[in-house]
Amino acid sequence: MNWLFPLAKGGGGSAASGGPAALPARTGLQQQKQRQIEALRAAHAAIAEIQKDVEYRLPFTVNNLTININILLPPQFPQEKPVISVFPPVRHHLMDKQGVYVTGPLINNFTMHSDLGKIVQSILDEFWKSPPVLAPSPSSFPYLYSKPAAMPPYAAPQGFPFLPPYPPQETNRTMAAVPVSESVSSSYATDKPAAPSYGLITDLPLPVPTAEAVLQVGQNGFTYKMPDIPDTFPELSELSISQLTNMNEQEEVLLEQFVNLPQLKQVITDKDELVKSIEELAKKNLLLEPSLEAKRQTVLDKYEQLTQMKAAFEKKMQRQHELSESCSPSALQARLKVAAHEAEEESDTIAEDFLEGKTEIDDFLSSFMEKRTLCHCRRAKEEKLQQAIAMHSQFHAPL
């Protein structure tokens, strides 16, 4: 069962010893790594663990821009420096040229005795002092037809790739010589030479097929097999030498004989059928244009909705950050200390007024006792909160 319980020393070791097998002791490097992780958690309560002891993420918001700080711990951490990156990419003096990785003395001077929690806090302080700006994205939102007016481009890395980018068109696409029309065939390069020129024969709708160009491949992958050309023509074998000589000298007769070949008739028929099918397909595509335009408009509406929701989300994240900062234990302790001091000053003012004879004894006793009690209650709460903070810091302090 070692494959199921890899921490066990043997298949029956725990049974023989009468108790569970002890976990292996941590090495010095692992203990130092755990101290750094605990310091990071103690300094930043909002940090999220993506992968245990490997990757951590800390979100924060500055100037309505929500940024995620990603902290990656290498295998030999803390002997090796941590890799700290941000998403989305931003422009800042602490970032590299791409705006992804944090550089500078904070990371370059990292040693085993550095405090990772304080380093991350220093990065946050720098971001607060000098707010970063969103780095421009190389690719914008790919619209189907045209970009709508007054709509800013949405950064693709933040990501919502609604439409896949179209593949680049090939500029030197190679096709076999099938000149259905001169304007179409002239836009493509051909690897095989066209049929030789024989006067009026060049006016035929298709070239003379050769042995190498029997299989024709179109632009969209459509394959057309040319009819088989026989080695001999029975019609010509029945003619005399004078008739063949006359045919060779008179091009009209040769052209007539050539046009009447069943193979050429088959090619012309196939071409007409292909042109007809292309026209029908084009008509069907035109019928789909309204639905495509409606879907395009739907995508644009969704994009606008996404932009509004993103702005609302960032505003709420900013509000959440402000509330979390105002409700932190240290902030509450400071408020209690100030409130207790204010209650104490008010009670001293009431006592001075009584000594000067400005208030009656009954009024003095009721108001003085009320303010003094309030002062002591706030002092007691502030001291208890301070003790709780100290115990929490001691519990999470590195060993």
Side-chain angles (χ1 to χ4, degrees):
M1 297 292 287
N2 289 339
W3 60 272
L4 186 58
F5 300 99
L7 297 178
K9 296 182 178 180
S14 61
S17 60
L23 295 175
R26 290 180 177 176
T27 63
L29 184 63
Q30 291 176 342
Q31 292 179 358
Q32 293 176 357
K33 184 176 184 179
Q34 288 300 318
R35 292 193 190 101
Q36 293 283 355
I37 294 175
E38 293 298 332
L40 180 63
R41 288 177 172 173
H44 307 281
I47 197 165
E49 184 179 64
I50 306 302
Q51 184 177 355
K52 182 175 176 59
D53 298 342
V54 175
E55 186 177 1
Y56 295 86
R57 186 169 300 163
L58 178 63
F60 79 101
T61 303
V62 54
N63 287 354
N64 293 329
L65 176 62
T66 301
I67 302 176
N68 289 315
I69 296 182
N70 196 70
I71 305 162
L72 184 65
L73 306 181
Q76 297 300 320
F77 177 82
Q79 290 182 353
E80 296 182 15
K81 302 174 183 178
V83 179
I84 302 179
S85 59
V86 301
F87 182 84
V90 295
R91 290 285 182 260
H92 197 268
H93 67 272
L94 293 181
M95 308 302 299
D96 59 355
K97 294 181 179 180
Q98 288 74 26
V100 176
Y101 295 100
V102 179
T103 58
L106 292 175
I107 302 300
N108 297 334
N109 299 334
F110 183 86
T111 63
M112 296 179 60
H113 304 289
S114 302
D115 193 327
L116 184 58
K118 293 182 179 180
I119 290 177
V120 175
Q121 184 60 45
S122 300
I123 296 174
L124 293 178
D125 294 340
E126 287 294 330
F127 283 163
W128 282 110
K129 293 178 183 177
S130 176
V133 295
L134 193 64
S137 175
S139 60
S140 60
F141 186 79
Y143 296 96
L144 284 177
Y145 296 97
S146 61
K147 182 177 179 180
M151 181 178 291
Y154 189 75
Q158 255 176 307
F160 300 89
F162 300 98
L163 297 174
Y166 292 100
Q169 298 294 330
E170 301 176 7
T171 57
N172 295 324
R173 176 173 296 184
T174 302
M175 289 185 60
V178 189
V180 178
S181 63
E182 184 179 356
S183 60
V184 175
S185 62
S186 61
S187 61
Y188 297 97
T190 58
D191 288 340
K192 301 181 180 63
S197 176
Y198 291 103
L200 295 177
I201 296 181
T202 57
D203 297 332
L204 291 175
L206 288 174
V208 178
T210 60
E212 294 82 3
V214 173
L215 195 63
Q216 303 289 345
V217 181
Q219 178 182 359
N220 59 352
F222 175 78
T223 303
Y224 177 73
K225 187 177 182 305
M226 296 293 292
D228 296 331
I229 306 300
D231 297 333
T232 61
F233 295 91
E235 306 87 24
L236 300 179
S237 60
E238 299 177 356
L239 300 177
S240 62
I241 296 177
S242 60
Q243 291 176 335
L244 292 176
T245 304
N246 186 27
M247 180 182 298
N248 189 30
E249 294 176 353
Q250 298 180 9
E251 190 172 352
E252 294 81 0
V253 178
L254 180 60
L255 179 59
E256 182 181 359
Q257 182 66 30
F258 186 77
V259 171
N260 291 329
L261 288 177
Q263 292 84 3
L264 183 58
K265 292 181 178 180
Q266 180 64 36
V267 170
I268 296 175
T269 303
D270 294 341
K271 184 209 70 169
D272 295 338
E273 293 179 356
L274 182 59
V275 170
K276 184 178 179 180
S277 63
I278 292 175
E279 292 177 353
E280 293 177 355
L281 183 60
K283 293 178 181 179
K284 291 181 180 179
N285 290 339
L286 292 176
L287 293 177
L288 294 176
E289 183 178 3
S291 61
L292 182 62
E293 182 66 23
K295 292 179 180 180
R296 169 183 173 272
Q297 187 61 40
T298 302
V299 171
L300 295 179
D301 294 341
K302 293 292 184 181
Y303 173 79
E304 182 66 23
Q305 183 181 1
L306 171 66
T307 305
Q308 297 176 0
M309 294 177 66
K310 177 178 177 293
F313 172 76
E314 291 179 351
K315 185 176 181 181
K316 292 181 179 179
M317 284 291 296
Q318 176 68 20
R319 179 59 178 167
Q320 187 267 344
H321 177 75
E322 295 174 356
L323 291 177
S324 62
E325 289 293 334
S326 62
C327 297
S328 62
S330 58
L332 294 177
Q333 181 186 2
R335 291 181 180 179
L336 284 174
K337 184 178 295 185
V338 172
H341 183 70
E342 291 177 354
E344 184 178 10
E345 288 183 349
E346 291 179 359
S347 64
D348 292 341
T349 302
I350 294 174
E352 291 177 359
D353 293 343
F354 174 72
L355 293 177
E356 293 176 359
K358 296 180 179 180
T359 57
E360 299 294 334
I361 185 172
D362 294 335
D363 297 337
F364 163 73
L365 290 176
S366 59
S367 58
F368 180 80
M369 292 298 296
E370 179 182 359
K371 294 296 181 180
R372 211 64 180 177
T373 302
L374 181 61
C375 173
H376 289 302
C377 289
R378 290 175 177 176
R379 283 257 175 88
K381 292 179 181 179
E382 187 265 335
E383 291 176 358
K384 288 183 180 180
L385 184 58
Q386 183 177 5
Q387 293 176 1
I389 295 174
M391 291 180 61
H392 183 270
S393 301
Q394 183 179 3
F395 178 76
H396 291 281
L399 301 177

